[in-house]
Amino acid sequence: MMRKMLMFLPIIGLVASLLSGCEDRNELEDLALVMGIGIDKTEDQQIQVSLQFFLPQGSGQSGGSQTQSKGAGGANQSFIATESGETISDAVNKIAKRMSRRIYFSHNAVVIIAKKMARRHLNQVIDYCQRTREIRQRTLLFITDESMPKILSYQSVLEKTSSISLMKGEEKHLNLITTIHDVLLMRTRPNQPMALPMIKIREDSYDPRQQVTKIVGSVLFANQKMVGMMNPERTMGLLMSNGEFRNNTFTFKPKGNKGRLSINIQDIQLRAVPTINHGRWQLSIHLSGNGILQENTTVLNPLNARDRRRIEQQTEAYLASLITKGFKQSQHVGSDVYMTYEVFERSYPRECQRAREHWATVYPNIHLSVHPQIQLLHSGASNS
């Protein structure tokens, strides 16, 4: 009997060790949860990193001299720690030495990159994010001119942290959305074209204590260098052309009329038709969708069939101009963010393979034509 018990002792010990838990487990009280990362460059060319940490209500700060932000509804649940170093890792390591808890990146929502840092060193930021296992590829990327501690600690009225506010704002799909995964895919394309949203802090004109982040357009890159900026309206045209547009309200002045039209565009369907004829590259974009007239300060009567068609035509012309102007701008700076190479490659793989190495000279010469068709819905009553 004693011999049988001795045989089972190793098994009992193994089970006991399994039930005791894992040695590398992550307990919440041992972690400093990073919600946002800001990366800037100092005047002496060092890398400055600001980390936004989630601060549970009732918890004390654990990192020394940090900045805590407060919103209108009480304490904003975050604090910012900033350090400078020779590299991003060096700066993060200096922050880690100040913290009583282990820095944990798995909950990080956004990476905000200073414009002067992104101008020539975007690849360094992406490389760090790719090598840091805890940073997820769905993390959102932004460019800004603001100082990192300021934009990370701005007062978010509705959300617990500014990073959560940025993330939820992008979830509405009203602006350009670019993740680390998107950038990694863009780097595989000819000339590595990229488009990242540009943000800044906007203060409420009626209450300067209230602040929000505002998308002010998109920043264009080619070959890992910043080459230009695109305004918000043309960025919407870019989203339409790439099939990433959901809905948005456009306000514009129709040609030959006083006043403005505000029309919500939705249900956009896209068909891109590439052709190569005697060495001439042409791309035709056919758009169809619905429009809801939300406001009309013109003399056009949407209940009149002729005026209704004029409203539709003016809307189509406006959308076509957004896409065309944005496309020409991207051609001028050599950033194929409209993904025309992929469109042509599906129909002309051999020609694209030959043109891949000198795509920078092919792309600016592609002729674009846009053919939108918008059907007006819910036109409302007459203005008369």
Side-chain angles (χ1 to χ4, degrees), residues 272-284 343-344 347-348 351 366-367 369:
V273 182
T275 57
I276 301 178
N277 188 13
H278 299 292
R280 179 177 173 83
W281 297 57
Q282 301 179 14
L283 179 63
S284 298
V343 175
F344 277 95
S347 300
Y348 302 94
E351 289 83 350
I366 295 176
H367 177 73
S369 60

Side-chain angles (χ1 to χ4, degrees), residues 234 237 241 317-331 338 368-370:
R234 294 182 183 181
S241 302
Y318 176 75
L319 296 180
S321 69
L322 292 185
I323 297 174
T324 302
K325 290 178 181 178
F327 187 81
K328 289 182 178 179
Q329 181 181 353
S330 72
Q331 286 181 306
Y338 286 78
L368 175 72
S369 60
V370 184

Side-chain angles (χ1 to χ4, degrees), residues 248-265 291-302 307-319 374 376 379 381 383:
N248 189 63
T249 298
F250 296 94
T251 299
F252 60 95
K253 180 180 179 181
K255 188 176 181 180
N257 287 271
K258 295 182 179 180
R260 296 289 190 275
L261 293 171
S262 291
I263 300 180
N264 182 264
I265 305 298
I292 298 177
L293 183 59
Q294 294 187 329
E295 190 169 357
N296 178 18
T297 62
T298 70
V299 296
L300 297 174
N301 180 6
D307 284 354
R308 181 188 182 93
R309 182 55 194 149
R310 288 182 64 187
I311 293 175
E312 292 175 341
Q313 290 174 338
Q314 294 285 347
T315 304
E316 292 166 355
Y318 176 75
L319 296 180
I374 300 299
L376 193 63
S379 56
N383 289 341

Side-chain angles (χ1 to χ4, degrees), residues 35-36 52 54 76-77 107 109-110 140 154 156 158-171:
M35 303 301 295
Q52 181 187 66
F54 179 72
N76 198 14
Q77 290 185 248
H107 291 272
V110 301
L140 298 171
Y154 87 92
S156 178
L158 297 178
E159 308 300 339
K160 295 180 179 179
T161 69
S162 57
S163 297
I164 295 177
S165 177
L166 281 171
M167 181 181 66
K168 289 191 174 183
E170 293 299 273
E171 287 176 351

